[in-house]
Amino acid sequence: MTATKQQRTTKKIKTYYQGLKNTLKPKYLLFRQWQQQPIHYRTDETEHVCNNCGHRFRGNYCPVCSQSAQQGRVSWLSLWQNIVLLWGLESRSAVNTLLQLFLRPGYLVRDYISGRRQVSYPPFKLLVILAALVTLVRLIFPSIQPEPSATGVRYLDYVFNWLNRHEDIGALTVSSFLILPTWLLFRKAPLYPGHTLPEGFFLRVYMAVLWLVLTCLIPFDSIALMLSLVYSFITYKQLFGYGYWGTLWRLLVCIVVSYGSLLVIMVLFAVASEAYMQVH
């Protein structure tokens, strides 16, 4: 009797997980499809008369005044479109770009650096705007100001504190040390061969944006750093197309080389600062 109950329980569990798998798998496949192709463009070959300038044309936009062929009398759709624009939720908005950066980071970067610019808000502008918002929030709430640097070297502390106050420049400066190692180790990647140094710069801009968001959302720097490393791995995996191990060891080498170089520069700067202070 007990064995029969166990068999029934086991069968129910298997049936439940099989049903769950059948439900979630199609949704996951749709999510993967969205990751790789978030926006679909369609060409309208219908003949239109522009409601703005009266020009007759075929296509999505008037070639004379650039107004959309869909612009007509105000409707419920127009109301919804204006709400979307008001709250910055259109396809190329900052909000949508941040959403993509968390859900499809590598694909987003590849789209942008390969020329598909309409899927993303300009990354450098986004970095500056986020840094300004962070500064504003910290002015309103002084309790969340970063702790001042205390290395014991006056000029080194000055540099660190300045970078903490200008987080966009600080995040991008530190992140930029990964540009050259990334180019050396990933320029022959299967999904994106021929990676260039300028493309590497924009990759680091996106990563600096991600770091700013994580440090704002998460009060613990160690957790934010761990999540940043996880997202770096996901980004490199999606962007370059190496396998899990191939991406991991290359990224680890990049991190060791870049932050090792940064540490050497910091030590040299500290030694030079101490020598300058002793002379003066």
Side-chain angles (χ1 to χ4, degrees), residues 257-278:
V257 171
S258 60
Y259 287 100
S261 303
L262 180 61
L263 180 61
V264 169
I265 291 174
M266 289 169 52
V267 170
L268 292 176
F269 183 83
V271 171
S273 301
E274 287 292 337
Y276 179 82
M277 292 173 63
Q278 290 176 3

Side-chain angles (χ1 to χ4, degrees), residues 54-168:
H55 180 73
R56 193 176 295 274
F57 67 97
R58 293 180 184 273
N60 297 325
Y61 295 92
C62 174
V64 175
C65 68
S66 302
Q67 179 165 290
S68 171
Q70 304 303 319
Q71 293 292 344
R73 295 181 61 179
V74 171
S75 63
W76 289 108
L77 179 60
S78 304
L79 177 62
W80 170 248
Q81 289 172 340
N82 277 270
I83 292 173
V84 167
L85 288 172
L86 174 65
W87 292 100
L89 299 175
E90 70 272 19
S91 62
R92 200 168 181 252
S93 68
V95 175
N96 186 274
T97 299
L98 288 175
L99 180 66
Q100 291 187 65
L101 191 58
F102 276 92
L103 296 179
R104 55 182 301 269
Y107 299 118
L108 173 65
V109 174
R110 190 198 304 166
D111 286 342
Y112 189 85
I113 64 178
S114 64
R116 298 186 65 212
R117 304 290 159 78
Q118 292 301 316
V119 300
S120 171
Y121 192 80
F124 199 78
K125 181 190 281 190
L126 182 60
L127 178 63
V128 174
I129 291 173
L130 282 176
L133 288 175
V134 171
T135 302
L136 180 62
V137 169
R138 286 178 174 172
L139 286 174
I140 298 173
F141 304 100
S143 59
I144 61 174
Q145 288 282 353
E147 293 292 328
S149 176
T151 64
V153 181
R154 185 175 64 183
Y155 291 102
L156 198 59
D157 287 340
Y158 174 80
V159 172
F160 283 156
N161 290 328
W162 189 89
L163 291 175
N164 281 334
R165 291 194 302 271
H166 303 80
E167 292 201 63
D168 53 342

